[in-house]
Amino acid sequence: MNKPNMSQGLDTSTQPAIELRKINKSFGPVHANKDIDLLVKKGSIHGIIGENGAGKSTLMSILYGFYTADDGDILVDGKTVTIPDSKTAISLGIGMVHQHFMLVDNFSVLENVVLGAEGGASLSGGLGRAKSELQRLEDEYELKVDPDALIEDLPVGLQQRVEILKALFRGAEILILDEPTGVLTPSEADHLFKILDVLKNQGKTILLITHKLREIMAITDTVSVMRRGEMVATRKTSETSMSELAELMVGRSVLLNVDKKPAEPKERVLEVNNLSVVDSRGVKVVKDVSFNVRAGEIVGIAGVSGNGQSELLETIAGIRRADQGTLWIDGDEIDLRAKPLDPAEMREKSLGHVPEDRHRMGLVTKFAEYENSILGYHTDAIYSKGPLLDIAKIKQLAEVEIEKYDIRPPSPLLKTANFSGGNQQKIVLAREIERDPTVLLVGQPTRGVDIGAIEFIHKRIVELRDAGKGILLVSVELDEIRSLADRILVMFDGKIVGERTPDADEGELGLLMAGVEGEAK
């Protein structure tokens, strides 16, 4: 495919904020960025999209001074510059908000904002001036947050505001945001977009790195597409579509909507009755919840993050202890207060679990792919050779899963930390689905996953349903719930406040998610 003229269709009458020319970067044999050209107009929101591993973050890390390009030119405000480190990038007015925040949890908001920019040995007067400047920035850019609050006490959305304030405090005119909504609820993401619009209207230039096409269409002025280290297209957002961008990202036509036939639900395979869960703080986070899942259907649980969905899933999986309730699975009824569950016991009852946080619960990232492919199932006889694990057989079976689930790179020996987020998720899905569970719990199936992997994961979940399995799906992505689920349960404040079909009005579901039951009928 011939690369288009990157400035085609763009207004270059004003000096661009950023221009990259023929940027190259390799890591050993991997050519992460190949002759990248990019022009970013001042005072605009410019999206950069691509699959995981396309080279987006590498390119932005070069612009922010984390990496040095092997060759090529960087121009800021029309002047050729060298950016050997982030301190230089900051001095040039470039700030970056990382996907995983760079904050000190037990420091206050103000302390985090001034950290590294204290301005002298004596902090007392400096902190007073910094607090005044922070207040000015909060007012000007609608980034309200308590300067004295500890970071560990703030929700994720407010922590992200602190990261943006840090960059603005250091004089950023160009702001890079790397996958900024990956950790946000839908309402938090909407608020972030309003903030970005305010920043743009105040003359700031924003580079938005994401793989979420809906976000690109909603907030950007221009979008550039990367694929396998190359810049393959730049479009005015108003002149493109999600389907065109998806095809440019993966190099083929992509099915954006889930293709599935109507469900044919059969017998109950999971029933939850009067389940309540109290967390470590003594707060009841799941409140008298009852529902069932039948063979051959996907039951989706919708809701804003933090309304009990995570605790519900972990309790059914045997990870978290219940305060009260009964669970019926695989023909057995279990009194959860009398008999706490255990994850191994639930696996024996043919319940698979794809956890919401693959890093914390689903994988040991320092282990190789083949080792992660049997986590939780390593005592199964199929993996043993006498008293020892049959490593050769485990690797062989891992290779079969790698091919079947299109896991890249196709190496069972590679450390799991070196796989992209989408491929890490495929490793977890392959491990759980290939055990042929009667019931599969899936938490946030496509969080941090690119569009090609999303399509693949959705197909696998539907195939499992069509094979007669029962699936309980939790996602904060309402579009995902509506596309995959055959029945939708809505959770708010630890309770199930309604059940709807996937064709229910989005506004009605939104009201239920906000706890407005009376208006949502």
Side-chain angles (χ1 to χ4, degrees):
M1 179 176 180
N2 294 325
K3 287 198 286 185
N5 179 353
M6 301 316 297
S7 62
Q8 184 178 1
L10 302 181
D11 180 7
T12 56
S13 59
T14 59
Q15 187 71 58
I18 293 289
E19 189 173 359
L20 305 180
R21 298 175 181 170
K22 304 299 179 192
I23 296 294
N24 282 276
K25 181 65 180 177
S26 294
F27 299 93
V30 179
H31 201 165
N33 288 160
K34 307 172 188 176
D35 290 328
I36 297 291
D37 292 331
L38 178 68
L39 185 149
V40 180
K41 186 180 175 183
K42 277 186 181 178
S44 70
I45 300 179
H46 192 118
I48 299 179
I49 60 170
E51 291 189 280
N52 293 328
K56 311 182 297 293
S57 294
T58 297
L59 187 65
M60 292 301 102
S61 294
I62 289 171
L63 183 58
Y64 193 60
F66 280 157
Y67 300 143
T68 301
D70 298 333
D71 53 66
D73 296 316
I74 301 174
L75 285 78
V76 178
D77 291 331
K79 297 177 182 177
T80 302
V81 298
T82 301
I83 307 180
D85 50 42
S86 56
K87 183 178 179 181
T88 304
I90 291 167
S91 71
L92 292 168
I94 301 171
M96 187 167 184
V97 177
H98 301 271
Q99 185 174 5
H100 302 289
F101 304 150
M102 307 289 187
L103 299 171
V104 181
D105 284 349
N106 58 351
F107 277 21
S108 71
V109 168
L110 179 61
E111 289 166 338
N112 271 278
V113 168
V114 302
L115 189 62
E118 295 88 348
S122 175
L123 297 181
S124 56
L127 279 176
R129 289 191 296 273
K131 194 167 187 176
S132 297
E133 173 62 9
L134 182 58
Q135 186 64 57
R136 184 190 70 79
L137 291 170
E138 289 183 8
D139 293 342
E140 184 174 356
Y141 299 109
E142 299 181 19
L143 287 160
K144 294 293 183 183
V145 60
D146 180 2
D148 298 317
L150 294 179
I151 293 298
E152 62 191 2
D153 295 332
L154 295 179
V156 173
L158 289 183
Q159 289 184 26
Q160 189 174 67
R161 289 190 205 180
V162 177
E163 285 281 25
I164 295 172
L165 284 165
K166 273 174 57 180
L168 295 174
F169 184 81
R170 288 157 175 74
E173 292 295 324
I174 299 161
L175 197 59
I176 304 167
L177 290 96
D178 188 3
E179 299 286 359
T181 64
V183 293
L184 301 183
T185 66
S187 59
E188 288 171 334
D190 289 342
H191 192 81
L192 173 65
F193 295 159
K194 292 176 184 176
I195 290 169
L196 296 184
D197 201 46
V198 170
L199 288 167
K200 182 182 84 166
N201 291 335
Q202 295 282 0
K204 305 296 183 185
T205 303
I206 297 160
L207 277 159
L208 179 67
I209 307 156
T210 184
H211 60 263
K212 296 184 178 180
L213 296 177
R214 188 175 297 278
E215 295 175 2
I216 285 291
M217 299 303 295
I219 192 65
T220 65
D221 303 299
T222 307
V223 54
S224 294
V225 185
M226 294 187 69
R227 186 170 75 240
R228 296 185 181 179
E230 297 184 85
M231 191 70 75
V232 296
T234 289
R235 299 282 190 268
K236 284 186 176 179
T237 309
S238 60
E239 297 175 358
T240 187
S241 64
M242 288 199 293
S243 57
E244 182 192 20
L245 294 174
E247 186 168 347
L248 286 166
M249 283 170 65
V250 301
R252 60 176 174 80
S253 179
V254 176
L255 186 66
L256 294 177
N257 297 314
V258 178
D259 183 19
K260 63 185 178 74
K261 63 184 182 182
E264 297 178 2
K266 298 180 176 63
E267 72 281 0
R268 289 175 302 138
V269 289
L270 173 69
E271 187 165 342
V272 176
N273 293 305
N274 307 116
L275 176 64
S276 292
V277 179
V278 176
D279 69 9
S280 58
R281 302 165 299 167
V283 176
K284 187 175 283 191
V285 289
V286 177
K287 304 172 182 177
D288 201 29
V289 165
S290 299
F291 66 92
N292 65 70
V293 179
R294 292 172 290 176
E297 74 168 347
I298 300 171
V299 175
I301 298 183
V304 177
S305 181
N307 278 278
Q309 310 97 306
S310 299
E311 292 84 358
L312 174 64
L313 218 58
E314 289 173 11
T315 303
I316 297 171
I319 296 169
R320 186 181 289 266
R321 183 166 186 165
D323 186 54
Q324 70 172 43
T326 58
L327 187 72
W328 186 93
I329 184 171
D330 195 30
D332 293 333
E333 187 169 72
I334 306 165
D335 183 337
L336 297 176
R337 187 161 49 181
K339 184 180 185 298
L341 295 177
D342 173 79
E345 178 187 359
M346 299 311 293
R347 285 192 290 269
E348 288 175 3
K349 293 182 178 297
S350 197
L351 182 138
H353 179 214
V354 178
E356 291 185 303
D357 188 336
R358 55 180 170 266
H359 290 156
R360 189 169 64 91
M361 289 187 176
L363 298 165
V364 179
T365 56
K366 292 182 179 179
F367 282 11
E369 191 281 338
Y370 79 88
E371 294 170 307
N372 275 285
S373 73
I374 64 166
L375 280 184
Y377 301 94
H378 50 279
T379 58
D380 290 2
I382 189 174
Y383 302 123
S384 299
K385 193 174 186 179
L388 304 175
L389 288 172
D390 188 343
I391 301 300
K393 185 169 187 179
I394 294 168
K395 290 177 181 176
Q396 180 185 14
L397 292 172
E399 287 175 351
V400 172
E401 289 182 3
I402 283 171
E403 182 177 0
K404 186 172 181 179
Y405 287 79
D406 191 26
I407 297 168
R408 305 177 200 170
S411 171
L413 304 179
L414 188 66
K415 299 291 184 191
T416 311
N418 295 327
F419 289 88
S420 69
N423 285 293
Q424 289 176 346
Q425 188 75 341
K426 287 181 183 180
I427 292 169
V428 178
L429 277 162
R431 182 182 68 219
E432 300 302 319
I433 290 177
E434 289 303 300
R435 270 69 195 172
D436 194 32
T438 301
V439 179
L440 181 68
L441 312 179
V442 187
Q444 314 300 342
T446 58
R447 175 178 282 167
V449 174
D450 62 61
I451 193 164
I454 288 173
E455 180 191 35
F456 182 92
I457 289 168
H458 285 175
K459 282 183 178 178
R460 286 294 183 196
I461 291 172
V462 171
E463 286 172 3
L464 197 65
R465 179 204 75 166
D466 292 344
K469 311 302 181 181
I471 298 162
L472 181 63
L473 172 76
V474 168
S475 176
V476 296
E477 302 284 353
L478 186 55
D479 286 345
E480 182 166 61
I481 288 285
R482 296 180 76 195
S483 295
L484 283 173
D486 303 303
R487 286 192 289 136
I488 299 175
L489 307 176
V490 182
M491 281 193 77
F492 174 77
D493 190 29
K495 302 187 288 283
I496 291 178
V497 295
E499 178 176 331
R500 297 292 186 272
T501 58
D503 57 1
D505 179 73
E506 186 171 343
E508 179 184 11
L509 289 170
L511 287 171
L512 281 169
M513 290 166 65
V516 188
E517 297 180 64
E519 297 179 39
K521 292 179 180 177

